[in-house]
Amino acid sequence: MQSKFRGVYLVTDSPLCLHHQLEEVVRLSASGGVSLVQLREKETSSREFLTLAIHLKKILTPFQIPLLINDRVDLCLASGADGVHLGQSDLPWLEARKLLGKNAIIGLSIETKEDWESLNREHSNPSLDYLAVSPVFNTPTKTNTKQALGLAGVRWLKENTKLPVVAIGGINIGNAKDVIQAGADMIAVVSAICSAKDPKEATLSLRNLF
């Protein structure tokens, strides 16, 4: 799965899908060569989320693009998604690994150097698939995060881990190149694809930066 951890990583947000339904945004981004899709829908009920996850999994399977679920290990299991993205206040990643098995993709957000130090103290070789620098820049789509880590945060994490580094938060076509040059293996975007008139073209433009 290692080759999957390079390129463009779409994080969904239905209210930001201005020109197309969410399912169509995902389909178009898949045809544009997105590497990973994370379903993150804060406003939907668990039942609606599950229905959507099953639908997106069907869309992405022919493209061989993994679907990750934000936070919810139970919904990952119920929908047959490929893994989860966990924040610092979610179920501990070690418990998620026990529940989901060794083949699931599990990514973890690192919001401060303390997060990184505590992870390292407890596990010299954590069975995670990637670490996310979150947020790189301040972003209106995620208001409950700590202070932005900036390009220096991307560089710092890249120097301190062998795992692929995903950069998330406030990334768009204007600043993505700088983030990649700072060491990000993947750039996670929300509005840069969800709000685009042509999500396929937006995905291609971002992908071409690598």
Side-chain angles (χ1 to χ4, degrees), residues 98-135:
K98 285 177 195 164
L99 290 165
L100 295 174
K102 67 181 193 309
N103 295 325
I105 296 170
I106 300 180
L108 178 68
S109 285
I110 300 289
E111 294 180 9
T112 64
K113 291 189 179 177
E114 290 73 42
D115 293 343
W116 164 248
E117 282 156 11
S118 67
L119 174 67
N120 247 16
R121 239 188 340 267
E122 294 160 33
H123 308 277
S124 57
N125 187 22
S127 61
L128 289 161
D129 294 280
Y130 68 82
L131 294 174
V133 183
S134 173

Tab-separated table of all heavy atoms in Angstrom, residues 98-135:
chain	number	residue	atom	x	y	z
A	98	LYS	N	-6.057	-2.946	16.860
A	98	LYS	CA	-6.566	-4.248	17.349
A	98	LYS	C	-7.926	-4.560	16.734
A	98	LYS	O	-8.216	-5.703	16.369
A	98	LYS	CB	-6.689	-4.223	18.876
A	98	LYS	CG	-5.367	-4.318	19.608
A	98	LYS	CD	-5.610	-4.216	21.114
A	98	LYS	CE	-4.313	-3.931	21.861
A	98	LYS	NZ	-4.558	-3.455	23.227
A	99	LEU	N	-8.785	-3.549	16.643
A	99	LEU	CA	-10.140	-3.753	16.125
A	99	LEU	C	-10.167	-3.943	14.610
A	99	LEU	O	-10.947	-4.739	14.087
A	99	LEU	CB	-11.027	-2.563	16.501
A	99	LEU	CG	-11.379	-2.432	17.989
A	99	LEU	CD1	-11.939	-1.056	18.282
A	99	LEU	CD2	-12.379	-3.515	18.395
A	100	LEU	N	-9.325	-3.186	13.900
A	100	LEU	CA	-9.389	-3.172	12.430
A	100	LEU	C	-8.458	-4.184	11.769
A	100	LEU	O	-8.631	-4.520	10.602
A	100	LEU	CB	-9.062	-1.776	11.903
A	100	LEU	CG	-10.049	-0.666	12.276
A	100	LEU	CD1	-9.534	0.692	11.815
A	100	LEU	CD2	-11.434	-0.932	11.684
A	101	GLY	N	-7.458	-4.651	12.506
A	101	GLY	CA	-6.535	-5.641	11.935
A	101	GLY	C	-5.333	-5.001	11.269
A	101	GLY	O	-5.275	-3.794	11.060
A	102	LYS	N	-4.378	-5.858	10.917
A	102	LYS	CA	-3.086	-5.356	10.450
A	102	LYS	C	-3.126	-4.740	9.057
A	102	LYS	O	-2.245	-3.971	8.687
A	102	LYS	CB	-2.031	-6.455	10.515
A	102	LYS	CG	-2.235	-7.620	9.556
A	102	LYS	CD	-1.126	-8.661	9.738
A	102	LYS	CE	-1.067	-9.689	8.624
A	102	LYS	NZ	-2.316	-10.349	8.312
A	103	ASN	N	-4.141	-5.063	8.257
A	103	ASN	CA	-4.175	-4.552	6.885
A	103	ASN	C	-4.874	-3.196	6.740
A	103	ASN	O	-4.809	-2.579	5.675
A	103	ASN	CB	-4.853	-5.563	5.957
A	103	ASN	CG	-4.041	-6.838	5.846
A	103	ASN	OD1	-2.816	-6.799	5.870
A	103	ASN	ND2	-4.714	-7.974	5.752
A	104	ALA	N	-5.557	-2.755	7.779
A	104	ALA	CA	-6.257	-1.468	7.699
A	104	ALA	C	-5.251	-0.321	7.655
A	104	ALA	O	-4.160	-0.412	8.225
A	104	ALA	CB	-7.177	-1.301	8.900
A	105	ILE	N	-5.628	0.745	6.965
A	105	ILE	CA	-4.812	1.963	6.959
A	105	ILE	C	-5.198	2.788	8.186
A	105	ILE	O	-6.376	3.062	8.404
A	105	ILE	CB	-5.061	2.779	5.681
A	105	ILE	CG1	-4.622	1.991	4.437
A	105	ILE	CG2	-4.333	4.128	5.740
A	105	ILE	CD1	-5.048	2.638	3.126
A	106	ILE	N	-4.210	3.163	8.977
A	106	ILE	CA	-4.465	4.031	10.126
A	106	ILE	C	-3.482	5.196	10.092
A	106	ILE	O	-2.267	4.989	10.065
A	106	ILE	CB	-4.349	3.271	11.469
A	106	ILE	CG1	-5.369	2.121	11.521
A	106	ILE	CG2	-4.560	4.230	12.642
A	106	ILE	CD1	-5.333	1.303	12.799
A	107	GLY	N	-4.045	6.402	10.056
A	107	GLY	CA	-3.238	7.608	10.103
A	107	GLY	C	-3.553	8.377	11.368
A	107	GLY	O	-4.659	8.290	11.898
A	108	LEU	N	-2.561	9.126	11.856
A	108	LEU	CA	-2.716	9.855	13.115
A	108	LEU	C	-2.286	11.300	12.951
A	108	LEU	O	-1.223	11.578	12.389
A	108	LEU	CB	-1.852	9.182	14.195
A	108	LEU	CG	-1.849	9.826	15.581
A	108	LEU	CD1	-3.215	9.683	16.258
A	108	LEU	CD2	-0.750	9.219	16.454
A	109	SER	N	-3.110	12.221	13.452
A	109	SER	CA	-2.754	13.642	13.432
A	109	SER	C	-1.752	13.961	14.537
A	109	SER	O	-1.923	13.530	15.675
A	109	SER	CB	-3.994	14.516	13.644
A	109	SER	OG	-4.775	14.550	12.476
A	110	ILE	N	-0.739	14.722	14.174
A	110	ILE	CA	0.223	15.264	15.132
A	110	ILE	C	0.024	16.772	15.140
A	110	ILE	O	0.262	17.439	14.128
A	110	ILE	CB	1.677	14.909	14.709
A	110	ILE	CG1	1.878	13.397	14.652
A	110	ILE	CG2	2.696	15.595	15.619
A	110	ILE	CD1	1.900	12.689	15.984
A	111	GLU	N	-0.456	17.310	16.254
A	111	GLU	CA	-0.777	18.736	16.321
A	111	GLU	C	0.286	19.556	17.054
A	111	GLU	O	0.345	20.776	16.914
A	111	GLU	CB	-2.138	18.935	16.987
A	111	GLU	CG	-3.290	18.359	16.156
A	111	GLU	CD	-4.650	18.544	16.809
A	111	GLU	OE1	-4.738	19.256	17.827
A	111	GLU	OE2	-5.618	17.975	16.290
A	112	THR	N	1.095	18.864	17.857
A	112	THR	CA	2.161	19.560	18.603
A	112	THR	C	3.380	18.640	18.688
A	112	THR	O	3.268	17.420	18.490
A	112	THR	CB	1.731	19.885	20.054
A	112	THR	OG1	1.511	18.648	20.738
A	112	THR	CG2	0.462	20.725	20.102
A	113	LYS	N	4.522	19.207	19.030
A	113	LYS	CA	5.719	18.378	19.224
A	113	LYS	C	5.535	17.427	20.405
A	113	LYS	O	6.088	16.331	20.423
A	113	LYS	CB	6.956	19.265	19.411
A	113	LYS	CG	7.314	19.976	18.109
A	113	LYS	CD	8.637	20.698	18.147
A	113	LYS	CE	8.896	21.344	16.780
A	113	LYS	NZ	10.131	22.131	16.729
A	114	GLU	N	4.697	17.832	21.364
A	114	GLU	CA	4.410	16.966	22.517
A	114	GLU	C	3.675	15.691	22.067
A	114	GLU	O	3.929	14.608	22.587
A	114	GLU	CB	3.566	17.702	23.572
A	114	GLU	CG	4.309	18.810	24.316
A	114	GLU	CD	4.537	20.050	23.452
A	114	GLU	OE1	3.623	20.461	22.723
A	114	GLU	OE2	5.673	20.583	23.523
A	115	ASP	N	2.761	15.854	21.087
A	115	ASP	CA	2.057	14.675	20.544
A	115	ASP	C	3.072	13.674	19.993
A	115	ASP	O	2.960	12.464	20.207
A	115	ASP	CB	1.109	15.077	19.398
A	115	ASP	CG	-0.063	15.924	19.860
A	115	ASP	OD1	-0.335	15.951	21.071
A	115	ASP	OD2	-0.685	16.563	18.987
A	116	TRP	N	4.036	14.210	19.262
A	116	TRP	CA	5.061	13.368	18.635
A	116	TRP	C	5.931	12.697	19.697
A	116	TRP	O	6.220	11.506	19.624
A	116	TRP	CB	5.910	14.225	17.702
A	116	TRP	CG	7.196	13.589	17.315
A	116	TRP	CD1	8.449	13.976	17.667
A	116	TRP	CD2	7.359	12.420	16.500
A	116	TRP	NE1	9.377	13.126	17.135
A	116	TRP	CE2	8.738	12.170	16.413
A	116	TRP	CE3	6.473	11.567	15.850
A	116	TRP	CZ2	9.252	11.101	15.702
A	116	TRP	CZ3	6.987	10.500	15.133
A	116	TRP	CH2	8.360	10.280	15.060
A	117	GLU	N	6.308	13.483	20.710
A	117	GLU	CA	7.190	12.952	21.754
A	117	GLU	C	6.503	11.845	22.554
A	117	GLU	O	7.113	10.826	22.866
A	117	GLU	CB	7.652	14.086	22.677
A	117	GLU	CG	8.766	14.909	22.047
A	117	GLU	CD	8.864	16.321	22.596
A	117	GLU	OE1	8.205	16.617	23.618
A	117	GLU	OE2	9.597	17.126	21.989
A	118	SER	N	5.206	12.016	22.842
A	118	SER	CA	4.511	10.972	23.612
A	118	SER	C	4.325	9.709	22.771
A	118	SER	O	4.449	8.595	23.278
A	118	SER	CB	3.179	11.472	24.165
A	118	SER	OG	2.280	11.718	23.124
A	119	LEU	N	4.084	9.874	21.475
A	119	LEU	CA	3.981	8.711	20.573
A	119	LEU	C	5.303	7.955	20.554
A	119	LEU	O	5.346	6.726	20.664
A	119	LEU	CB	3.612	9.179	19.158
A	119	LEU	CG	3.611	8.113	18.057
A	119	LEU	CD1	2.496	7.099	18.276
A	119	LEU	CD2	3.464	8.748	16.667
A	120	ASN	N	6.388	8.692	20.445
A	120	ASN	CA	7.714	8.090	20.366
A	120	ASN	C	8.155	7.440	21.661
A	120	ASN	O	8.849	6.431	21.658
A	120	ASN	CB	8.738	9.163	19.986
A	120	ASN	CG	9.290	8.890	18.620
A	120	ASN	OD1	8.705	8.114	17.878
A	120	ASN	ND2	10.389	9.488	18.286
A	121	ARG	N	7.764	8.064	22.773
A	121	ARG	CA	8.116	7.525	24.082
A	121	ARG	C	7.509	6.137	24.263
A	121	ARG	O	8.134	5.231	24.788
A	121	ARG	CB	7.577	8.452	25.185
A	121	ARG	CG	8.656	8.998	26.083
A	121	ARG	CD	8.154	9.743	27.284
A	121	ARG	NE	6.798	10.249	27.267
A	121	ARG	CZ	6.462	11.482	26.880
A	121	ARG	NH1	7.361	12.321	26.434
A	121	ARG	NH2	5.204	11.875	26.926
A	122	GLU	N	6.268	5.995	23.795
A	122	GLU	CA	5.541	4.750	24.019
A	122	GLU	C	5.831	3.698	22.954
A	122	GLU	O	5.756	2.505	23.210
A	122	GLU	CB	4.029	5.027	24.077
A	122	GLU	CG	3.624	5.874	25.277
A	122	GLU	CD	2.276	6.550	25.086
A	122	GLU	OE1	1.419	5.955	24.428
A	122	GLU	OE2	2.103	7.672	25.597
A	123	HIS	N	6.166	4.136	21.750
A	123	HIS	CA	6.319	3.192	20.620
A	123	HIS	C	7.458	3.651	19.719
A	123	HIS	O	7.339	4.652	19.036
A	123	HIS	CB	5.032	3.123	19.786
A	123	HIS	CG	3.824	2.860	20.608
A	123	HIS	ND1	3.445	1.605	20.998
A	123	HIS	CD2	2.916	3.702	21.147
A	123	HIS	CE1	2.344	1.689	21.735
A	123	HIS	NE2	2.012	2.943	21.850
A	124	SER	N	8.538	2.887	19.714
A	124	SER	CA	9.666	3.264	18.859
A	124	SER	C	9.345	3.015	17.387
A	124	SER	O	9.856	3.676	16.505
A	124	SER	CB	10.912	2.479	19.247
A	124	SER	OG	10.649	1.098	19.172
A	125	ASN	N	8.437	2.066	17.116
A	125	ASN	CA	8.079	1.755	15.725
A	125	ASN	C	6.564	1.552	15.640
A	125	ASN	O	6.092	0.425	15.519
A	125	ASN	CB	8.842	0.501	15.269
A	125	ASN	CG	8.639	0.243	13.790
A	125	ASN	OD1	8.294	1.143	13.033
A	125	ASN	ND2	8.828	-0.994	13.381
A	126	PRO	N	5.778	2.640	15.709
A	126	PRO	CA	4.320	2.472	15.753
A	126	PRO	C	3.762	1.881	14.462
A	126	PRO	O	4.240	2.192	13.367
A	126	PRO	CB	3.811	3.913	15.957
A	126	PRO	CG	4.902	4.788	15.456
A	126	PRO	CD	6.185	4.054	15.695
A	127	SER	N	2.759	1.009	14.601
A	127	SER	CA	2.170	0.376	13.409
A	127	SER	C	1.113	1.298	12.803
A	127	SER	O	-0.062	0.965	12.698
A	127	SER	CB	1.569	-0.985	13.768
A	127	SER	OG	0.550	-0.823	14.729
A	128	LEU	N	1.595	2.476	12.413
A	128	LEU	CA	0.760	3.462	11.723
A	128	LEU	C	1.194	3.534	10.271
A	128	LEU	O	2.335	3.208	9.936
A	128	LEU	CB	0.931	4.840	12.386
A	128	LEU	CG	0.306	4.989	13.774
A	128	LEU	CD1	0.912	6.163	14.519
A	128	LEU	CD2	-1.209	5.161	13.647
A	129	ASP	N	0.285	3.994	9.404
A	129	ASP	CA	0.609	4.074	7.985
A	129	ASP	C	1.094	5.455	7.567
A	129	ASP	O	1.819	5.590	6.591
A	129	ASP	CB	-0.611	3.667	7.159
A	129	ASP	CG	-0.939	2.206	7.371
A	129	ASP	OD1	-0.263	1.369	6.752
A	129	ASP	OD2	-1.813	1.898	8.192
A	130	TYR	N	0.662	6.474	8.292
A	130	TYR	CA	1.168	7.823	8.036
A	130	TYR	C	0.914	8.689	9.258
A	130	TYR	O	0.100	8.356	10.130
A	130	TYR	CB	0.510	8.441	6.786
A	130	TYR	CG	-0.972	8.749	6.931
A	130	TYR	CD1	-1.407	9.920	7.552
A	130	TYR	CD2	-1.941	7.883	6.439
A	130	TYR	CE1	-2.762	10.204	7.695
A	130	TYR	CE2	-3.296	8.152	6.568
A	130	TYR	CZ	-3.690	9.316	7.200
A	130	TYR	OH	-5.042	9.596	7.350
A	131	LEU	N	1.630	9.813	9.310
A	131	LEU	CA	1.391	10.841	10.314
A	131	LEU	C	0.976	12.118	9.588
A	131	LEU	O	1.507	12.421	8.521
A	131	LEU	CB	2.654	11.107	11.147
A	131	LEU	CG	3.131	9.958	12.037
A	131	LEU	CD1	4.465	10.322	12.688
A	131	LEU	CD2	2.099	9.606	13.099
A	132	ALA	N	0.037	12.837	10.173
A	132	ALA	CA	-0.440	14.076	9.547
A	132	ALA	C	-0.017	15.281	10.372
A	132	ALA	O	-0.257	15.320	11.579
A	132	ALA	CB	-1.962	14.049	9.408
A	133	VAL	N	0.623	16.249	9.722
A	133	VAL	CA	0.917	17.543	10.350
A	133	VAL	C	-0.370	18.343	10.269
A	133	VAL	O	-0.859	18.637	9.178
A	133	VAL	CB	2.010	18.304	9.570
A	133	VAL	CG1	2.358	19.602	10.271
A	133	VAL	CG2	3.243	17.464	9.393
A	134	SER	N	-0.929	18.699	11.421
A	134	SER	CA	-2.260	19.317	11.414
A	134	SER	C	-2.379	20.387	12.489
A	134	SER	O	-2.144	20.108	13.656
A	134	SER	CB	-3.299	18.221	11.647
A	134	SER	OG	-4.580	18.758	11.812
A	135	PRO	N	-2.757	21.620	12.086
A	135	PRO	CA	-2.853	22.115	10.710
A	135	PRO	C	-1.546	22.792	10.285
A	135	PRO	O	-0.816	23.324	11.120
A	135	PRO	CB	-3.961	23.165	10.817
A	135	PRO	CG	-3.808	23.715	12.214
A	135	PRO	CD	-3.263	22.592	13.069
